[in-house]
């Protein structure tokens, strides 16, 4: 899904150099980041006019592209994040006023998006040719098999929907064909769901309304019906998790914390390096301690209800922030220390109702 790009933009080079410098000079991320923010402050002041500029796609989707859904507008938006000094966007108007999970198949140039308006998954072909502000219709769709869908994940020809309904939480598996999304099987899960990701046969799922992560090894080999996690672990200090992204190539798990759902200022991000080892060393129903993760939290972060997250090959963190400012895409540098990090985002982009993000990286 992700590959290292062959070149780095000038701003990413500055960011990486500054990150390395601050890591060398400081033991904690707070001090290093405050100095870095002062260094780049003037650069960002001159960048804001580029945010939100509509760009017609030209058929070239190489590099890094962020796909985002919204709960409050009938669209999905593609952010060109190849150069963080000049982020440009294009928006496809779908007519779905409430959408969540999103995925881009770079090989087939198809966007899959979960429509909460229609309770189905829609597929939009020729995504790289989308014009800004253009009305688009799905080329094909799934049947309506859920009532409160949230995240989606895709692996091979399987697409999975997380349905978050009290007393009836389900993982719904579809098979992707040539122009088809066909129901395969449905699993009943005995906890509330939100973020999910299928990686090498293992499904990772957040336990909504808790600080816990569920792991289903050999997920697709299970027969239809009730299913139990292979292991569940808690994350120390996390309050209520929603989004996750595991990058197997870097062995980093990132999880979001919305805290109190009614607050727009108490959210956080939890980053677990060497995740596979940490998970293996943690007993079922055990806790990943605060010494084993890095985290962002505090008034400078603008994190209120971060509902989804993606990590790039060069360790930039892209967050769908639902509450603060009515919805934003927040971009953070990877933290350089293990202490409490209260730092401003590297980049902020207004995006009303932000509900999901997916990062596509191709050389």
């Amino acid at each position: 899904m992700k590959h290292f790009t062959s070149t780095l933009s000038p701003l990413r080079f500055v960011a990486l150099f500054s990150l390395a410098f601050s890591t060398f000079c400081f033991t904690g991320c707070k001090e290093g980041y405050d100095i870095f923010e002062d260094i780049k402050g003037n650069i960002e002041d001159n960048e804001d006019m580029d945010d939100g500029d509509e760009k017609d796609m030209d058929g070239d989707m190489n590099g890094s592209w962020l796909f985002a859904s919204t709960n409050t507008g009938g669209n999905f938006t593609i952010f060109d994040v190849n150069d963080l000094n000049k982020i440009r966007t294009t928006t496809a108007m779908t007519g779905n006023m409430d959408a969540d999970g999103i995925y881009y198949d770079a090989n087939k140039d198809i966007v899959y998006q979960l429509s909460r308006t229609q309770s189905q998954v829609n597929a939009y072909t020729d995504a790289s040719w989308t014009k800004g502000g253009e009305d688009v219709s799905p080329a094909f769709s799934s049947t309506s098999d859920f009532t409160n869908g949230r995240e989606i994940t895709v692996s091979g020809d399987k697409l999975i929907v997380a349905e978050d309904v009290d007393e009836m939480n389900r993982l719904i598996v579809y098979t992707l064909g040539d122009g088809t999304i066909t129901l395969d099987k449905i699993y009943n899960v005995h906890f509330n769901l939100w973020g999910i990701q299928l990686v090498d046969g293992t499904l990772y799922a957040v336990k909504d309304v808790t600080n816990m992560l569920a792991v289903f090894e050999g997920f697709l080999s299970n027969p239809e019906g009730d299913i139990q996690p292979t292991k569940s672990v808690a994350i120390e200090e996390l309050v209520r998790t929603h989004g996750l992204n595991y990058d197997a190539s870097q062995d980093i798990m990132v999880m979001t914390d919305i805290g109190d759902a009614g607050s727009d200022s108490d959210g956080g991000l939890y980053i677990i390096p060497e995740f596979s080892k940490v998970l293996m060393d943690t007993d079922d129903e055990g806790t990943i301690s605060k010494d084993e993760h890095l985290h962002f939290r505090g008034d400078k972060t603008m994190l209120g209800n971060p509902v989804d997250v993606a990590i790039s090959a060069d360790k930039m963190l892209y967050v769908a922030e639902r509450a603060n400012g009515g919805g934003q895409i927040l971009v953070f540098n990877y933290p350089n220390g293990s202490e409490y990090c209260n730092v401003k985002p590297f980049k902020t982009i207004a995006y009303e109702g932000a509900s999901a993000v997916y990062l596509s990286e191709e050389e």
Side-chain angles (χ1 to χ4, degrees):
M1 180 177 71
K2 296 180 180 179
H3 305 277
F4 286 100
T5 53
S6 57
T7 59
L8 290 177
S9 69
L11 186 60
R12 287 191 179 182
F13 178 81
V14 171
L16 291 172
F17 176 81
S18 301
L19 180 60
F21 177 79
S22 61
T23 304
F24 177 79
C25 294
F26 303 94
T27 58
C29 67
K30 188 185 297 185
E31 293 86 349
Y33 264 77
D34 285 345
I35 289 178
F36 180 57
E37 289 292 338
D38 292 339
I39 292 173
K40 71 181 182 63
N42 292 332
I43 297 175
E44 280 199 280
D45 289 342
N46 294 325
E47 292 173 6
D48 291 344
M49 61 183 178
D50 295 317
D51 291 348
D53 287 352
E54 288 289 348
K55 176 191 177 185
D56 293 345
M57 298 292 101
D58 57 6
D60 179 8
M61 293 291 281
N62 292 330
S64 300
W65 302 82
L66 187 75
F67 294 77
S69 288
T70 169
N71 289 146
T72 59
N75 64 59
F76 64 81
T77 298
I78 308 172
F79 297 87
D80 177 352
V81 293
N82 287 285
D83 182 354
L84 292 178
N85 189 37
K86 184 179 283 189
I87 297 175
R88 293 178 291 182
T89 69
T90 188
T91 300
M93 306 305 297
T94 67
N96 294 304
M97 297 309 295
D98 187 355
D100 216 301
I102 191 164
Y103 175 84
Y104 177 63
D105 184 333
N107 293 323
K108 296 182 179 179
D109 195 21
I110 298 175
V111 170
Y112 295 95
Q113 185 184 43
L114 185 149
S115 168
R116 287 167 50 79
T117 303
Q118 300 169 319
S119 295
Q120 64 188 31
V121 177
N122 294 325
Y124 300 90
T125 56
D126 299 324
S128 60
W129 294 98
T130 298
K131 304 295 182 182
E134 179 181 279
D135 291 338
V136 297
S137 298
F140 51 97
S141 303
S142 73
T143 48
S144 180
D145 304 297
F146 50 86
T147 59
N148 191 38
R150 286 299 180 184
E151 184 62 280
I152 65 174
T153 182
V154 176
S155 180
D157 67 345
K158 300 300 182 184
L159 184 151
I160 303 160
V161 170
E163 179 170 37
D164 186 15
V165 178
D166 288 341
E167 307 303 325
M168 195 179 72
N169 299 282
R170 302 186 301 168
L171 292 163
I172 301 158
V173 182
Y174 295 93
T175 299
L176 301 177
D178 186 10
T180 61
I181 306 173
T182 306
L183 179 64
D184 182 0
K185 51 188 172 182
I186 297 176
Y187 295 113
N188 303 314
V189 180
H190 302 286
F191 57 84
N192 290 91
L193 291 159
W194 204 286
I196 57 173
Q197 186 179 1
L198 183 62
V199 182
D200 296 331
T202 296
L203 184 82
Y204 302 98
V206 303
K207 290 189 172 184
D208 188 16
V209 202
T210 76
N211 66 341
M212 300 192 74
L213 171 70
V215 180
F216 297 86
E217 296 178 358
F219 173 71
L220 292 172
S221 64
N222 288 285
E224 186 174 40
D226 289 355
I227 187 173
Q228 296 289 342
T230 309
K231 177 183 283 190
S232 294
V233 295
I235 315 301
E236 186 176 10
E237 296 189 346
L238 195 156
V239 178
R240 179 180 177 180
T241 184
H242 258 23
L244 62 79
N245 186 206
Y246 176 52
D247 187 326
S249 65
Q250 302 183 85
D251 199 18
I252 298 172
M253 172 66 81
V254 187
M255 298 178 66
T256 72
D257 180 5
I258 70 165
D260 179 353
S263 171
D264 67 356
S265 60
D266 68 341
L269 284 181
Y270 287 74
I271 301 111
I272 308 171
E274 299 183 341
F275 173 71
S276 58
K277 180 179 185 303
V278 171
L279 181 64
M280 181 177 63
D281 291 344
T282 306
D283 294 334
D284 184 28
E285 301 297 327
T287 299
I288 295 176
S289 74
K290 61 183 179 180
D291 295 330
E292 296 174 297
H293 60 67
L294 317 172
H295 63 277
F296 291 93
R297 185 180 293 280
D299 58 334
K300 292 182 181 180
T301 66
M302 304 179 73
L303 293 167
N305 286 1
V307 290
D308 200 10
V309 62
I311 183 171
S312 70
D314 56 358
K315 294 186 178 180
M316 302 300 287
L317 302 168
Y318 297 84
V319 180
E321 165 54 43
R322 179 63 181 83
N324 193 302
Q328 302 185 69
I329 302 297
L330 306 179
V331 186
F332 291 91
N333 279 293
Y334 195 83
N336 66 346
S338 59
E339 72 172 63
Y340 166 75
C341 295
N342 183 13
V343 296
K344 292 187 292 185
F346 179 80
K347 194 75 173 176
T348 62
I349 308 167
Y351 188 57
E352 183 180 352
S355 59
V357 289
Y358 176 81
L359 184 66
S360 175
E361 293 187 289
E362 296 292 334
E363 293 182 357

